[in-house]
Amino acid sequence: DGGITQSPKYLFRKEGQNVTLSCEQNLNHDAMYWYRQDPGQGLRLIYYSQIVNDFQKGDIAEGYSVSREKKESFPLTVTSAQKNPTAFYLCASTRASVTGELFFGEGSRLTVL
Amino acid sequence: GENVEQHPSTLSVQEGDSAVIKCTYSDSASNYFPWYKQELGKGPQLIIDIRSNVGEKKDQRIAVTLNKTAKHFSLHITETQPEDSAVYFCAASMGDTGRRALTFGSGTRLQVQP
C-alpha cells in the first residue's frame, strides 16, 4: 500500500541530545513537509522540500535540521538547540506540480525528559 | 505571511444536529482552502477542499463555503454522527504561486453526543 511511514512512533530524549525522526513515502511525491503539533496551536511548519537536494525553512525552523538526499526520504533532526522539543511531529507529502491534498504520516511523539 | 484563525476551539452537538466551524485568513493571495479531520493519535486526513474560483462545495453530509471578499470560509457538517467526533483543522495556501505549504488554523475539537 502507498503511504507515508514515520518512525519511531514514540521517542524519549534526554536534554542535550540530538534525535532524528524518520519519514519515508512511496507515493512518488516530489514535495515533503514537517509540521509540529502542540495542544491548542494547530500545525506549524518546520521545514519543507519541493525537490531532492533542496529544502526551505518554515515558520519555526530554529533548532531543527533536515536533509533530502532521496525523493522518498525526508528525515528531521531535533537538535539540542531546540528549547522546547516535546511535541507531536507530523510528516506530509504531496505532488509539487499542483496544490492539492497533503498526505500525512501517523506522527512521532517526542518527549524530552 | 499567512495567518489563519479558527473558531470555535471546542464544539459539542447532539447526534443529528448540524455543526459549523469558521475560519478567517489574512493573505488575499491564498487560493486553496482544505479541511482536515484528525482522530486521536493519527495524522490529519483531508475531508474536503475548495479553491478560490468556487463559492461552495458539497460532499454528502459535509460542505464548505468560501467568501473571498471577507476572507473567510466555513465547514458545515449536517446530520452529525458519533464517528464525526474528532479535531478539525482548516488551512490556507497560496497554491501554485509563492509558498505552497499550508498554514493551519488552531483546530476545533468536535464532540457528537449520542
Side-chain angles (χ1 to χ4, degrees), chain A:
Chain A
D1 281 16
I4 299 180
T5 302
Q6 288 187 242
S7 63
K9 196 168 176 68
Y10 300 96
L11 185 60
F12 297 88
R13 181 193 105 175
K14 292 182 180 177
E15 281 193 25
Q17 288 181 335
N18 292 356
V19 293
T20 297
L21 308 180
S22 169
C23 178
E24 303 275 334
Q25 55 99 357
N26 60 3
L27 299 166
N28 199 32
H29 286 168
D30 293 302
M32 297 186 74
Y33 305 82
W34 275 104
Y35 285 89
R36 170 178 170 143
Q37 186 173 18
D38 295 284
Q41 293 195 47
L43 283 69
R44 292 182 290 166
L45 182 66
I46 304 172
Y47 267 99
Y48 64 105
S49 168
Q50 304 277 18
I51 196 168
V52 175
N53 292 323
D54 188 43
F55 48 83
Q56 285 79 41
K57 292 182 179 180
D59 300 317
I60 56 164
E62 186 175 348
Y64 300 98
S65 65
V66 293
S67 63
R68 188 85 188 277
E69 296 175 2
K70 298 187 299 181
K71 186 176 184 177
E72 304 79 20
S73 178
F74 191 41
L76 173 74
T77 297
V78 184
T79 76
S80 56
Q82 168 49 235
K83 297 193 186 318
N84 186 19
T86 295
F88 190 52
Y89 291 89
L90 287 159
C91 179
S93 71
T94 190
R95 292 184 297 153
S97 57
V98 292
T99 298
E101 181 174 2
L102 271 187
F103 290 82
F104 283 89
E106 299 263 291
S108 293
R109 185 168 296 281
L110 172 63
T111 302
V112 174
L113 303 172

Side-chain angles (χ1 to χ4, degrees), chain B residues 42-61:
Chain B
K42 306 264 187 180
Q45 284 195 300
L46 180 74
I47 55 171
I48 195 166
D49 57 11
I50 192 167
R51 297 184 190 272
S52 58
N53 58 348
V54 174
E56 183 176 1
K57 185 176 178 181
K58 277 186 176 180
D59 183 3
Q60 299 183 340
R61 294 187 297 109

Side-chain angles (χ1 to χ4, degrees), chain B residues 10-11 29 32 55 59-60 66-67 81 89 95 100-101 105 111-112:
Chain B
T10 60
L11 180 60
Y32 175 65
D59 183 3
Q60 299 183 340
L66 171 66
N67 183 328
Q81 300 166 5
F89 292 97
R100 291 198 187 93
Q111 191 163 9
V112 180

